[in-house]
Every structure is written in C-alpha cells, then in structure tokens.
Amino acid sequence: MSVELASYLVSEFPGRNEQIDQLLALLGQPDDPTPPGIFVYGPAATGKSSVVRELFELYNPDGQHYAVVSCIECFTPRLLFERTLNSWAGHKPSPSNRYANYARCENLVDFVNCIRDLLVVADDGRRSNDTHYMVIDQAERLRDRGPMLLTSLLRLSELTGANISVVLISNVIWDKFRPRHGGAPEPFAICFPSYTKQQILDIVAKDCPADEPMPFFMTFVDAIYEVFHRNCVDLNELRHLVAMLYPKFVQPVFEKQATRSEFPRLFKLCQPYFSAASERLYLREISTSEWQKNSAIASAKNNPEDITHSIYQMAEGSTDSLDLPYYTKFLVIASYLASYNPSRLDAQYFSRGSGQNGKRRRGRKPATENSLGGKDRQQLLGPKSFAIERMLAIFYSIISEPADSSVDVQIQIASLVTLRLLSKTSSGDRLDGIKCKCNVSLESVRSISRSVKFDIDRFLYDFA
Amino acid sequence: MSSAYQPMDEFDSMTENTFIVMPQPKNDLRKKSKGSGAQTAETPETKDSAYTQLLQGKEPIESMFLRRRMFDAMWQPLEKQLADIEKQSNNAGISEICNFIDSSYVQVESKERGQLARPFAEITTAVTFTGVNTGDHNKLFETLRARLADNGHHVALVESQYCMALPNMLKGILEQLYTSIHSSTNKEMVAVSGSNPLAKSITYDMNLLETWWALLKRQQAKPISSRVVVVLQDFEGFLPTLVDDFVRIATKYSSSIPIVLVLGLATSYECIHQSLTKPTISMLNVERFNLQRSKQCIDTAIYKIFVQNTTMLMFGAEAYKSLLDQFLLYDFSITGFVRKLKYAVMDFFYAQPLSILAPMVGTDSSSGRLSSVSQCPVRLCHDQIELVRMQRSVQTYLEHQLKRTGDRHYFQQAITSDVFLQETVLLDMMRQLVSYRQGYCLGIDMFCEIQEMSPDTLQKPIRTLHYYGISEPFEDCAHWKTLSAVVRRMRVDDMKALLARLDNVVSRSEPIDWRFSTERDVDILELLGTAIELLENPEEDGKADSVSSDEPKKRIRTRTDMENRPFLLFDNKSSDRMLQALDKCSTIVEKILCSCMQPYSSVPLYEIFYYRHSFLLDTTFSAHPRAAVQTGLGRTNYYINCDCCKTSGHKNIPGSSDTDDSDDEETSRILPSMHDTSIAYRLHQECGRLINMYDWHSAFSSVVEKEVAVLRPCTTPSQSEIQARFMRAVEEMRFLGFIKPTQRKTDHVLRLTWGA
C-alpha cells in the first residue's frame, strides 16, 4: 500500500519524492513505533502543509488517527487540545451535544489525562496500538504559548504512555525553537528545500488550461520565470502572475492579431501589461477580481499607452485619496515636519521674526551640503518621535490665519492617532508630554500640502 | 454636583473636583406667580421644561409654552429631514456593496479565454472608504448592516474597541452570527436539548461556525443564497496582527462557508499595505467602494434647510461661518453639524423672546417650503410689542414706508397702537421677510445655473455659494465678479442657453409675491422676457431706440472690447447690433441676480430670524481649556462671583470688551481674600522666564498675611502655614502646566506660558 501511496504522491507533488519517502518510512505500518517528534521545515510555498496533509489523508482515510491543527486558528492551548481530541475521538460538535467538544481541557494535565482515557485505559487488548498523529501547522507560534508547551508536546508519548507522534510544520529552523531549559527531545527533522527551476516549471505545467497547447503555455511560463524569479521566490506568487497575465498573452491569438508561433510579436503586444501591472499585481494594489473585471475591456488592439493608463487608474482606484479637513491637513504636515526636521533648526525655519528671510537663507547654506550627501538623512532613517508641543508650535506657525487653541485641535490629534496617521511612542498611561511619530509617506504629505497650497519642500531639511 | 448656593468649601481646590453649576432661573417663583396667577402653579409643562419667562419675567406664560412647543415643532421635522438626507447620501454606495455581496461566490464564466486556476484561496473582500469623520460611522454601518440583513445575509459587525484579542473578536462575531443563523434555521432543530442550546464549555472558533453552516445547508433544499458577512468597522483601530490572523483563519474556511469581509477604511488603501503581511494581502480579493459623502451630504442639507426656505430660522453670516468652519476645518462630522444646529434652534426658542413670531409663517404642505403668512397665534403683550418696535430693522422699515407712501397715519398707528402693530404692520413685515427668502432661493438657484455654464475651475459647492449670498454686499463678492465677467464674455449661443436656463429656474419656482418687497422694483420675469426677445431679434431692438444707441455703437469693437470678448477676433459674423444686445443681456442678468441677492440686513425683523450668536456656538462646542483655566485664575470673579473679591462696583461680564480696559487696573489688584492658587498665578504673571521661588514666596506671604491680619487681628500668621499653602499653590500651578522645575537653577522654576 505504501508503495502505491508513494508513487501517487510523487506524481502529485513533483520534486518532493525524497521528502515523501522519508515521511512514509517514518510512518511505517499503523502500529509501528514512531519518533515522538517529526519536524517539517522549509521556506514558504514549498509544499510542506499540502504534502503532509495529503499524505495523512491517504495514509489514514478514516481520519481517526491523525489530527491537523493550525496554530493560528487555535490561538489558545485549550483549542489546540480540544481540536486534537475531537479528531482522534471522531467527535463532531452538533446540536445534539450542544456544540460542546469531546472533552474540556484547560491545560496540559487535562490533556494528558484525556489522552490516557481515550487511548490507553480504553485499550483492553481489544484495540490495536496504532500510532496517533498530531499535525501542528504554523508551529512557530507554539513558542509564544508558554515555555513548557512545546517540550511537553514533544514528550507526549512519554507522558501518556500511548503511541503518539507530533508532527510540527514550520518555516523556521529548529535552532530557533529549541527551548532554553533544554528539556525538549530533538525531533526528527525533514527539510523541504526551495524548488529548482525545472521543478517549478513542472508544477506550473499542471495549471495549464485543458484547451491550450502545452509547449506554448510552457514557453510563456519560462519567460515569466526568467523575469520574476530573482525578486519572487514564492511559487504561488509566480502562479498568480501566470494566471493573471496568460489570458492577456493569448488574447491576440484569438483576436487574430498574431499566431501561436509568433512569440516575439506576442510578447511585444503583452509588454504594457508586463511593465505596468506586474508590480501592482504582485503587491495586490490591483486585486484579482478588479484585474479580471477591468482587463477584459482593455485589449491589445488599443493603444499601449491607453492600456498603461487604464492600469494605473485601476491601481489608483480614484477612490482612495485621503481627504482631510483643512486644519487636520496642516496638523499632518506639521507632524511630518516635526518628524523629519532636526529640532535645533526649528527657529530658523519657522520663526516669524523681522529678519526671517535672511536668517533662513544663512541657516540653510551649510545644511544643504550636509543633508544631501550624508548617509544619516532623516528621509532614509525614518520618522523621529517628537513632542506634541513642538508639533503644535510648528502647526501654529505654518497655518496662514491664526487659529484659537481650542479643544478641536486636540481632538484632531487624537483622531489622527486612531487613524494611525500618527503613532504614539510614549506609553499609553502618560497623559502629559505625549510623543508621536508621523506615519505618513512623503508622497502623501506632498499631495496633502499641494491641496492646501503649502510648499513643503521649502521647509524640509533634507530637500531645502 | 453642587449648586451655586452651597458653601464655598466645595469649590476649594480646583484640581480635586469637577463642578457642574446648574443654571438657576433668573426670576424666582414669586415673580412668576405675580405675573399670571394660578396658571403657573404646577402644570407638568413648567416642571419638565427648563424654559423661563423672558423680558425680566414679564413675558406671558403662554408665550413661554408656545416657545417650548415651537421648538419641538420646528426641530422634529428638521431632524427627520437631516436623517433622511444622511441616509440618502450613502444610498448608492451601500447598494453597490449589497450587489457586490449578493454576487460574490457565484461562479462567473469569464469571457476571456485561457483562464487558469488561481493558486491562492482568496477571500472576497469589500474595502469601503468612509472618510475621516469617524463619529458618523456608527450610523452608516448600522444602515449597511440592516440592508444586508434585509437581503438575507448573516452579518456580524465588529468595532475595534471590543476586539482587543482574537478570542474576544471571534466570540463577538460568532455570537452575532449565531443569532442570525439560528433565527433562520428550523426552530425545533435548535431547541433540541433544554433551554440553552449552547453548552457551557463551548469554544468560540470557526469550527463551530462551520458546523452551524453545514446544519443550515442541510435544512434548506435549494442552494443557499445568503453569505456570511463580517464587517470590521474601523480597520485602523484593530491591532494589525489581529486582523492578519483573522484573515488567515477566515480564508481557510472560505471554501466551506461563503465568508465576505467588509473592511471600513477611514484613510487610504496604503493602510492595508502598512498593517497586513504580504501572505495575508495575497489572500484578499479586494474590491473598493466609496462611502465618504459627508461633504455632499452637508451640501444637500444646507441647500434644503437654508436655501430652500424650509425652516423659519436662518443663520447670519457669522454664525453660518462658525457652523461651517467646524465642519470644514476640523472634522467633517455630520453629527457635529446637526448638534450645533440643534443647539442654535434651542437657543433661538429659549432665549429669543420674539421667537414666538415664528409660527406666523406657515409651510406649504407639498414642497415643505415657507409660503403663507397668518396672524400670530397669541396676543403679544406690551413688552413684546415694544421689543419689536425697538428692532433697528423695524424702525428702518417704518421710516422707509413713510418716505415711500407718505402715509403718516400708518406710521403713527404703528408707533402708538399695539393692536395695529401686531395685526397689520407685523403681518406686512413678515410677508416681506418671506418674499425676500423666496427671492433669495431663486437667486441662489440662478447663481448655480450661471456657475454651471462657467469653466470647471470656477465651480464652488453650494455651501460656499450660500456663504457668499449671505455675506454682504453681494456685488463685491469676488466669485460673483468672475462669474459676471464670464457672462459678459458669452457668445450668443451660450447667452441664449443661459437665458433659457434662468427662465426655466424662474418658471419652476413658485410665484413670488413681489408686492411686499420694498427694495425690488424690478420684475424678474419681465426682464428675462426682454432679454430673450433682444437676442431673438437684435435688429428690431436697435431700430427701436436707434436715437439713444449712437453712443454705445462707437464703443463696440474697440481694443478693450476685444480683450473682453476674445472670440470677436475670429468671429466677424455677429453684427454690432447683436453685440449690443449681448451687452444688454449681461447687464440684465447682473441686475436680476443683484436684486435677488439683496443683503439680508435690508429686510425687517432680520435680527430675530437670522441667528447670529456665533460666539455662543463657538464657546459651547469648541472649548478653550487653556483660556478657561487662565480666566479662572486671573479673573476669579467670573466663576466664583463672591462678594469679598469684588474689586469694583459692577460685575465684569466675560467677553465684553468695553469694560475690560477701564477695569484693567482694578482687576489686576491682588486681594488677600482670593484663592491661593489664583494669588500665586497673578504673582507669577509679573515674572520673567525664570521665577525665583524665594521671591515668589515672600510676595505670596505678604499678600496672605494681610488676610490673616483682617480675619484675626491679634494673632500673627504662622510661617509654616503660609509656606504649606504656598507649596500647594505652586504644585497646582505645576500640575496645570504653568511652570516646571528647571535644571539650570535649583531654586528657580521655569515659566511656560505668556499672555493673558
């Protein structure tokens, strides 16, 4: 049975035969003793979870001997324990049991006891001593759930006396897991390395639409791989790009603009999509549905510039411009200035003295050489935190007409913090002397200041 | 907590308590009962309303009740109207979201060929941009939720403040979904075991939801069209890691449960990129929706309420600016706008004795606009009539009438007879007010039409146009000057179109009774008619007054004219006559507009119906904490009003500038009876940047010693007591942020504030 299983899995997951063989060897027959811990690791999108899941589903079709739990979903140890027991006991919450779980396990002791009740005590020779598996996905989260949890899980078969194996799946190496107290046994590690180019092409070949010729499709995939593999190692991202761009690539064929053999011409027609959209698609500035809905309209028959334009428009969406009330805009500008300008130069930039102009020019001269060449420009270092009072002083000096210091300004500062345009750096219980950082990018601040006709570059130390 | 006549001890330390001093009726019950006998005694109305009789208590009690009733009668429809406008403004956006959710999880065959399977399990997500006015969002999302629930979806609406951790969040979501799902499933299935269908040891996780959903699916024969919608109202408020985890969990279940996420974003899309991780963003299949309509909503509200005469109360330029500034400069908040409006209406009926004149104007039942004028429902007493006579606009009106008609009798009667004033003059004045308002509405409508004909850069929203309309004088308004320049440069076709539009506006509006307007001696309809005719056959007109048109004929096609009408350079077809006609038309348009947009201060009784207490609105709604503390310490009298600290004979009233200068000397005197902190505050005002503590202390003790000398002449004050009091005062000053200790000199403190 295991040979059939292995051959099926290998055909399903190209490039993973070594790992599959290793896993199947460890599992052996259902009642074979297994290592108490198996650690499956490797980078993202290398098929760890899918291989393990598929393998167990086929290995144990009735699903009574393994439990797959995700650490993100089971955010407390209790959930982890109860889910595992539910799977092992074949229990399902339903109206008849008032949606309760198999047993209530608040802590590890309860869990061990429940396992004993379930697997050991009930075992009066009638039951076979089959191995039970606990598959924990995103296992790196286990490290945050108390110091003893991981250790105890790895010693679970020892603690319960049952034949239990814990399979941990993670994209972090074991060295980062090892508890400090050293009580954890070393699990058996299986590494899922990144795919090679040929493996990737083999996998993507499975996505080929049924009515498309395979070699034609593979040429396109090969090109995509060559373009993107340096920046994007994630197999799924690559598949996403292929799925998004391939329809555009073949479109000229159906629109009778080119034939399937004219690759250079097809690539040229597809060019605007590659250059304008790839980054946005990768960053999901254009989502899948937006792309599919809108790109159907665009066609290679159109002017390439139109296509580029429409793609940019899709990303901007025309909706997500940040519209703030008038003074709030100035508050954002003031906090940006406070975050990126050195405070010792505030007097030069913002004082409203009589000799203001001459003074500013004199002050800026040495600053220019310093600020453009230096490695420690604030623009590169990110925002500094500033005291609210300093920001308010800048605010009152940059607004054109004098505003009263009313409570509205304070309310706006608070709402900027809730909107995360400012982030508070002083502790939450401190009510006076609040410190904040400006969380707005230079582009947004520029567009904001343009809307209020404020020339921010004149006041920025790094650009002035 | 304590009322004004309790002992002073309660007010002892400003830092320890918050005081609410309830307003006392200005005139006590004794006076009231003298006015109108037994009626005042104990009607339920007097009990629950805080209204008092105005005019030093001489106002009849019925008028007071009338004002109370009128407030409800005016505010309730207004409030309903505002709520409707708010609901309407987001209707389109909400319907879009509903459609989107209805059509989600439905496999659509794409028209494009060469589609591939998608590698990611994506979750359908609607990102809504709601604008920064977070205060209004509760209402908005509640509407959205109701709409979605009506469409049969199961909705869970969560706010960040209740979701500090993932367990809380899931519990909140699942509890809402449980009620929703189980109200739609078969009742007997739910109530299988006992009263509580949920066991105590239940864990709130998505597994549970999956079970519920499977149950629901089994019960319904046909495929379920409803979706599970999870709305995160304020995305920015959630912890980023929390949303991240939630999206990953939800995505896992999106194959078995049709989950749709709705994220409410107050800022921009950038926020999602900032807070979520790349793998999570890959899981979102986003569509964007725009719901930020607060500006449009306010525009509609202003047009409906202030321009289209639906309420009697109008806002004067100052008060309107204060109302609008709060909205535009600070928060975009509709709730805040409504609150201010309500306060103004309340203040109008509470404090304005002549607000009883408001019911004289009836509204048209179909359009809701003001139309008819009838007699005042109550008989005004002599004091009220006197108050009417004292309004400056009334005096101007009477003098004007006298000058115009020469009817001395009318004038005399108006001055001497109360009955005549109420029954005739008041009615006339109200009619004029109403017709002015109708004309104003027409004027604004025409203003809009002219603006629509002008280039895009000149477009201004209605809220601004209204502000121009009420800030006087209209002729000097820069925007109007540019617009009239546009009109003057118009070609014949454009002018024809404009006139047609204006004509349309005039004929659409209800007929205005011009008889009562004294200022307007122009007939808009007639003028428009002439203008249209002029354009139709300019030659004829030229012949008609050829004698008088010799002079303007020369002017046509001069250099300046070319500059004014650049199209003349290329267009030689239009004759001089035509140009003259154009010239005349533009003058007519200007004349019409200006006659409609007279300043409101020219109509009688405007002092009453144009609300102008902008100062009150400002102080009520935008508090000035620092100014309040400084007044409290520097001018204690405003707050405490005690006899011992009165520096001069008369009381000072805050905000009245004329008394301030003369009393400056008096108020700056430091009296020993004042509060310790106040003494310390006044002393520190005389210091520079650094304050020597010893000097401050000696000054303080010299003041305080005087007090002890007055109270207990024979004893000498103990030094330690004075020192203790001084230390407390200094600590309070530090706490209030006036001073702070400095590293430079140990025995000095730094002064932090300057100015009064």
Side-chain angles (χ1 to χ4, degrees):
Chain A
M1 167 216 170
S2 118
V3 180
E4 285 166 32
L5 188 60
S7 62
Y8 172 74
L9 282 174
V10 167
S11 72
E12 197 72 354
F13 296 99
R16 292 286 92 129
N17 35 8
E18 202 178 309
Q19 286 78 16
I20 290 166
D21 286 345
Q22 244 176 332
L23 270 173
L24 281 174
L26 283 177
L27 262 51
Q29 292 305 311
D31 53 351
D32 282 352
T34 43
I38 300 173
F39 185 70
V40 175
Y41 71 101
T46 47
K48 299 181 298 290
S49 306
S50 350
V51 167
V52 172
R53 210 176 285 256
E54 187 80 23
L55 186 142
F56 273 107
E57 251 169 51
L58 297 170
Y59 179 76
N60 183 347
D62 63 344
Q64 282 272 8
H65 288 160
Y66 74 100
V68 182
V69 282
S70 153
C71 259
I72 293 184
E73 210 191 326
C74 303
F75 37 81
T76 59
R78 183 185 162 193
L79 278 172
L80 200 69
F81 300 150
E82 293 186 359
R83 283 278 181 91
T84 311
L85 286 176
N86 276 354
S87 298
W88 283 348
H91 172 94
K92 276 214 159 64
S94 66
S96 54
N97 54 33
R98 295 157 80 210
Y99 302 110
N101 286 325
Y102 169 75
R104 191 181 166 126
C105 297
E106 287 289 356
N107 50 34
L108 210 95
V109 179
D110 287 347
F111 184 49
V112 169
N113 285 332
C114 286
I115 294 179
R116 281 207 190 119
D117 288 346
L118 181 69
L119 303 180
V120 185
V121 179
D123 185 13
D124 43 12
R126 196 159 45 77
R127 279 198 187 188
S128 60
N129 192 17
D130 284 356
T131 318
H132 282 72
Y133 295 95
M134 183 174 178
V135 182
I136 304 179
D137 209 347
Q138 279 106 12
E140 61 273 4
R141 302 262 180 143
L142 280 179
R143 297 176 297 174
D144 316 329
R145 309 268 156 80
M148 291 310 290
L149 184 63
L150 183 63
T151 317
S152 331
L153 282 179
L154 285 173
R155 289 183 179 275
L156 207 54
S157 64
E158 195 179 320
L159 289 169
T160 55
N163 193 0
I164 294 174
S165 174
V166 176
V167 182
L168 303 173
I169 304 175
S170 172
N171 48 18
V172 179
I173 54 171
W174 173 249
D175 292 343
K176 303 267 179 195
F177 272 82
R178 199 173 288 125
R180 228 173 263 160
H181 50 72
E186 294 282 309
F188 193 94
I190 297 176
C191 175
F192 279 60
S194 294
Y195 291 112
T196 61
K197 181 183 175 183
Q198 193 50 51
Q199 286 165 348
I200 287 185
L201 294 185
D202 286 348
I203 295 166
V204 183
K206 284 177 177 296
D207 288 340
C208 179
D211 50 352
E212 291 292 313
M214 182 63 102
F216 179 77
F217 179 72
M218 287 318 290
T219 322
F220 174 75
V221 174
D222 197 271
I224 290 268
Y225 177 81
E226 287 304 328
V227 173
F228 291 106
H229 81 281
R230 272 176 230 287
N231 309 319
C232 166
V233 285
D234 194 324
L235 169 69
N236 283 336
E237 289 296 342
L238 212 59
R239 285 171 63 198
H240 178 73
L241 283 175
V242 170
M244 292 295 109
L245 293 174
Y246 186 69
K248 289 283 111 188
F249 182 70
V250 291
Q251 196 180 19
V253 176
F254 298 114
E255 287 176 356
K256 308 278 186 245
Q257 286 201 314
T259 59
R260 284 189 189 272
S261 53
E262 291 176 305
F263 282 116
R265 184 169 162 72
L266 282 173
F267 277 118
K268 193 165 176 304
L269 288 171
C270 197
Q271 187 65 32
Y273 298 101
F274 270 59
S275 52
S278 312
E279 186 191 327
R280 276 153 224 282
L281 275 177
Y282 177 63
L283 292 176
R284 296 296 192 285
E285 274 168 33
I286 305 174
S287 72
T288 317
S289 62
E290 279 171 331
W291 174 255
Q292 289 185 334
K293 206 158 73 180
N294 294 319
S295 73
I297 307 156
S299 151
K301 278 180 193 164
N302 300 341
N303 189 3
E305 270 151 44
D306 285 352
I307 297 172
T308 322
H309 181 72
S310 75
I311 288 166
Y312 276 105
Q313 232 178 10
M314 237 191 278
E316 302 303 322
S318 76
T319 52
D320 55 333
S321 61
L322 182 56
D323 195 11
L324 294 170
Y326 188 71
Y327 282 160
T328 315
K329 281 178 179 169
F330 275 107
L331 277 174
V332 171
I333 295 171
S335 52
Y336 190 85
L337 290 173
S339 256
Y340 286 92
N341 273 5
S343 59
R344 67 193 153 82
L345 295 179
D346 279 355
Q348 284 175 20
Y349 281 120
F350 304 111
S351 69
R352 280 181 175 167
S354 49
Q356 171 203 27
N357 280 333
K359 210 175 168 189
R360 189 184 292 157
R361 216 159 286 143
R362 238 181 295 137
R364 223 196 288 159
K365 197 86 182 186
T368 324
E369 303 159 18
N370 184 2
S371 65
L372 285 180
K375 248 182 274 174
D376 48 352
R377 296 173 62 190
Q378 201 61 45
Q379 292 293 336
L380 302 177
L381 294 174
K384 274 190 315 228
S385 67
F386 54 84
I388 284 291
E389 287 79 18
R390 186 180 154 221
M391 188 270 274
L392 281 177
I394 296 177
F395 168 70
Y396 285 119
S397 92
I398 61 174
I399 51 174
S400 40
E401 65 264 32
D404 299 337
S405 99
S406 70
V407 79
D408 295 322
V409 175
Q410 309 290 338
I411 291 173
Q412 278 314 298
I413 294 173
S415 68
L416 283 178
V417 172
T418 46
L419 295 178
R420 273 202 253 150
L421 296 173
L422 294 185
S423 61
K424 221 175 182 178
T425 51
S426 57
S427 62
D429 57 340
R430 223 177 131 183
L431 294 179
D432 59 337
I434 299 170
K435 292 197 155 196
C436 283
K437 267 182 186 181
C438 182
N439 206 13
V440 184
S441 64
L442 180 62
E443 288 85 59
S444 339
V445 133
R446 274 208 176 121
S447 75
I448 287 173
S449 41
R450 217 174 298 127
S451 69
V452 291
K453 300 193 174 65
F454 177 81
D455 184 13
I456 193 167
D457 287 352
R458 255 185 63 216
F459 290 91
L460 269 176
Y461 174 66
D462 285 347
F463 296 96
Chain B
M1 312 288 152
S2 89
S3 57
Y5 39 77
Q6 277 181 324
M8 293 309 291
D9 301 326
E10 304 256 325
F11 292 86
D12 202 26
S13 168
M14 294 204 192
T15 53
E16 283 166 17
N17 290 316
T18 309
F19 307 106
I20 298 174
V21 181
M22 295 301 282
Q24 294 297 307
K26 280 178 195 132
N27 46 330
D28 49 2
L29 269 170
R30 189 170 40 84
K31 255 183 188 169
K32 229 187 240 177
S33 53
K34 197 172 69 182
S36 48
Q39 269 186 325
T40 27
E42 279 302 313
T43 46
E45 253 176 327
T46 43
K47 258 189 189 168
D48 68 357
S49 75
Y51 278 60
T52 52
Q53 285 163 294
L54 299 170
L55 303 169
Q56 284 92 41
K58 287 184 211 152
E59 188 190 19
I61 192 93
E62 307 87 61
S63 306
M64 186 185 97
F65 291 144
L66 182 65
R67 284 190 288 126
R68 176 82 188 82
R69 279 200 307 276
M70 273 308 292
F71 168 68
D72 287 337
M74 183 186 278
W75 179 247
Q76 275 158 9
L78 203 59
E79 194 176 25
K80 194 176 161 296
Q81 198 179 8
L82 284 165
D84 284 349
I85 291 169
E86 201 179 341
K87 221 179 243 175
Q88 280 292 318
S89 68
N90 274 316
N91 229 345
I94 287 179
S95 324
E96 261 179 56
I97 297 177
C98 289
N99 289 340
F100 168 72
I101 289 172
D102 286 341
S103 61
S104 62
Y105 288 95
V106 177
Q107 287 300 322
V108 184
E109 281 301 310
S110 178
K111 289 177 209 83
E112 277 187 309
R113 291 182 60 186
Q115 292 292 343
L116 279 73
R118 297 200 212 135
F120 287 103
E122 288 179 323
I123 183 162
T124 318
T125 310
V127 169
T128 59
F129 297 97
T130 46
V132 290
N133 46 333
T134 38
D136 305 332
H137 290 175
N138 278 344
K139 226 187 260 175
L140 172 66
F141 279 97
E142 215 34 71
T143 323
L144 176 65
R145 177 221 199 92
R147 279 283 288 278
L148 287 174
D150 285 347
N151 286 11
H153 302 301
H154 306 291
V155 193
L157 174 69
V158 283
E159 280 175 70
S160 61
Q161 51 181 328
Y162 303 116
C163 302
M164 291 332 279
L166 198 53
N168 299 354
M169 183 174 171
L170 276 181
K171 185 163 186 239
I173 292 174
L174 287 179
E175 275 174 349
Q176 291 184 44
L177 290 177
Y178 177 79
T179 4
S180 168
I181 291 178
H182 283 247
S183 60
S184 62
T185 48
N186 208 336
K187 287 286 182 300
E188 58 196 281
M189 280 296 280
V190 180
V192 161
S193 53
S195 52
N196 187 5
L198 295 179
K200 248 187 197 160
S201 64
I202 191 172
T203 52
Y204 285 97
D205 58 357
M206 293 294 272
N207 226 341
L208 203 60
L209 181 63
E210 201 181 12
T211 321
W212 293 341
W213 194 258
L215 208 69
L216 185 70
K217 235 166 144 181
R218 218 175 325 127
Q219 280 180 9
Q220 297 190 353
K222 55 181 191 300
I224 303 176
S225 64
S226 57
R227 312 271 173 267
V228 173
V229 186
V230 178
V231 188
L232 308 189
Q233 182 176 327
D234 43 345
F235 180 81
E236 281 91 351
F238 284 91
L239 282 176
T241 48
L242 191 70
V243 186
D244 208 89
D245 284 353
F246 179 72
V247 170
R248 291 174 84 158
I249 294 172
T251 315
K252 218 182 127 194
Y253 285 91
S254 63
S255 53
S256 51
I257 315 167
I259 302 181
V260 181
L261 272 182
V262 177
L263 306 179
L265 230 62
T267 51
S268 59
Y269 196 68
E270 208 182 311
C271 181
I272 286 189
H273 278 269
Q274 270 183 13
S275 44
L276 298 182
T277 55
K278 177 73 182 75
T280 314
I281 294 177
S282 303
M283 290 171 181
L284 298 176
N285 191 0
V286 173
E287 200 132 323
R288 300 165 213 210
F289 298 94
N290 205 355
L291 287 177
Q292 44 187 342
R293 310 264 171 192
S294 64
K295 276 188 184 169
Q296 287 95 314
C297 178
I298 284 291
D299 275 348
T300 329
I302 284 173
Y303 183 69
K304 285 259 166 68
I305 291 168
F306 292 143
V307 179
Q308 282 194 329
N309 311 312
T310 44
T311 49
M312 200 49 219
L313 182 66
M314 284 285 282
F315 271 62
E318 280 290 300
Y320 177 72
K321 190 169 185 317
S322 133
L323 193 70
L324 211 55
D325 274 359
Q326 175 71 26
F327 177 78
L328 287 177
L329 300 185
Y330 291 108
D331 50 10
F332 284 163
S333 161
I334 299 166
T335 326
F337 179 84
V338 173
R339 216 179 282 152
K340 255 187 166 177
L341 197 63
K342 181 172 184 180
Y343 190 85
V345 174
M346 192 277 290
D347 181 49
F348 174 63
F349 285 109
Y350 180 78
Q352 171 62 269
L354 290 184
S355 55
I356 43 165
L357 299 183
M360 287 176 69
V361 181
T363 50
D364 189 66
S365 53
S366 60
S367 65
R369 301 189 187 189
L370 302 177
S371 53
S372 57
V373 177
S374 56
Q375 281 292 350
C376 186
V378 288
R379 166 81 35 203
L380 302 180
C381 76
H382 179 68
D383 291 276
Q384 287 164 326
I385 296 281
E386 269 309 300
L387 198 62
V388 173
R389 279 195 196 117
M390 277 190 306
Q391 304 299 324
R392 184 156 294 166
S393 64
V394 175
Q395 290 169 8
T396 331
Y397 169 79
L398 288 177
E399 278 162 21
H400 196 95
Q401 284 296 78
L402 182 67
K403 223 183 284 170
R404 213 173 66 143
T405 57
D407 190 353
R408 288 203 154 272
H409 180 68
Y410 184 88
F411 187 72
Q412 220 161 23
Q413 286 270 303
I415 298 290
T416 51
S417 159
D418 287 357
V419 180
F420 182 76
L421 187 90
Q422 183 178 352
E423 285 180 357
T424 317
V425 184
L426 209 52
L427 223 56
D428 286 350
M429 290 194 292
M430 289 303 263
R431 280 196 191 114
Q432 192 179 337
L433 186 69
V434 169
S435 78
Y436 166 76
R437 294 274 299 270
Q438 287 168 336
Y440 178 79
C441 174
L442 189 63
I444 285 280
D445 280 346
M446 291 200 276
F447 200 11
C448 286
E449 293 292 337
I450 296 174
Q451 186 181 256
E452 267 174 41
M453 300 277 292
S454 1
D456 282 346
T457 46
L458 294 178
Q459 303 294 330
K460 302 242 175 178
I462 189 87
R463 52 174 189 269
T464 322
L465 294 187
H466 177 61
Y467 180 63
Y468 292 148
I470 53 176
S471 49
E472 49 202 325
F474 181 70
E475 286 87 349
D476 296 347
C477 159
H479 186 58
W480 166 237
K481 278 182 181 161
T482 34
L483 281 187
S484 59
V486 169
V487 172
R488 255 179 271 128
R489 285 178 202 171
M490 273 184 179
R491 288 154 181 269
V492 181
D493 297 343
D494 293 341
M495 183 62 88
K496 270 183 188 162
L498 176 69
L499 289 176
R501 275 171 166 224
L502 294 187
D503 192 44
N504 191 19
V505 169
V506 175
S507 55
R508 209 170 43 199
S509 71
E510 67 238 64
I512 302 168
D513 203 348
W514 295 110
R515 275 176 301 150
F516 299 102
S517 63
T518 49
E519 303 296 326
R520 279 191 216 99
D521 33 16
V522 287
D523 189 341
I524 289 179
L525 269 177
E526 199 184 300
L527 272 178
L528 263 180
T530 6
I532 292 169
E533 222 164 87
L534 258 179
L535 277 187
E536 288 302 324
N537 29 11
E539 307 295 335
E540 205 171 280
D541 170 71
K543 271 170 216 153
D545 50 14
S546 56
V547 194
S548 60
S549 63
D550 280 349
E551 191 261 326
K553 220 188 242 172
K554 282 180 225 155
R555 235 196 61 230
I556 298 296
R557 287 182 197 269
T558 60
R559 178 177 292 246
T560 41
D561 229 52
M562 293 292 189
E563 271 167 27
N564 275 341
R565 297 207 182 83
F567 67 89
L568 285 183
L569 289 173
F570 315 103
D571 178 20
N572 284 318
K573 275 179 283 175
S574 36
S575 63
D576 284 2
R577 292 266 180 232
M578 201 53 151
L579 292 179
Q580 265 175 28
L582 271 182
D583 230 31
K584 274 186 187 163
C585 283
S586 59
T587 332
I588 287 175
V589 170
E590 273 170 54
K591 203 168 161 193
I592 291 174
L593 246 280
C594 290
S595 74
C596 282
M597 308 286 279
Q598 295 283 342
Y600 63 84
S601 54
S602 65
V603 280
L605 293 173
Y606 80 91
E607 295 99 330
I608 297 159
F609 293 109
Y610 279 78
Y611 189 78
R612 50 199 171 133
H613 296 161
S614 59
F615 178 74
L616 185 70
L617 283 184
D618 282 344
T619 47
T620 315
F621 286 95
S622 29
H624 295 73
R626 187 179 146 194
V629 170
Q630 281 179 329
T631 320
L633 291 173
R635 306 195 165 193
T636 335
N637 253 353
Y638 296 155
Y639 288 92
I640 299 184
N641 252 339
C642 57
D643 294 326
C644 53
C645 300
K646 264 192 189 138
T647 47
S648 55
H650 59 274
K651 270 201 298 181
N652 288 322
I653 303 142
S656 60
S657 55
D658 49 355
T659 56
D660 276 6
D661 294 306
S662 56
D663 284 351
D664 229 23
E665 204 101 312
E666 287 289 314
T667 46
S668 61
R669 257 179 61 200
I670 304 171
L671 294 175
S673 59
M674 285 169 178
H675 192 275
D676 285 354
T677 318
S678 173
I679 296 173
Y681 172 79
R682 285 166 201 240
L683 287 171
H684 110 290
Q685 277 188 313
E686 293 157 16
C687 299
R689 191 173 156 76
L690 285 172
I691 305 171
N692 186 326
M693 288 294 274
Y694 182 75
D695 292 351
W696 198 5
H697 176 242
S698 6
F700 181 81
S701 62
S702 75
V703 173
V704 174
E705 267 164 16
K706 270 189 226 157
E707 180 199 18
V708 184
V710 171
L711 287 177
R712 286 162 290 175
C714 41
T715 52
T716 48
S718 103
Q719 267 312 294
S720 51
E721 185 200 321
I722 292 178
Q723 199 176 343
R725 282 168 64 182
F726 175 67
M727 286 318 291
R728 190 172 77 166
V730 169
E731 263 315 295
E732 282 193 359
M733 293 278 289
R734 196 181 66 80
F735 181 76
L736 292 171
F738 288 104
I739 53 169
K740 76 171 186 190
T742 165
Q743 300 283 323
R744 246 183 293 166
K745 285 180 173 176
T746 37
D747 55 344
H748 282 63
V749 285
L750 205 61
R751 190 179 163 190
L752 295 172
T753 57
W754 275 267

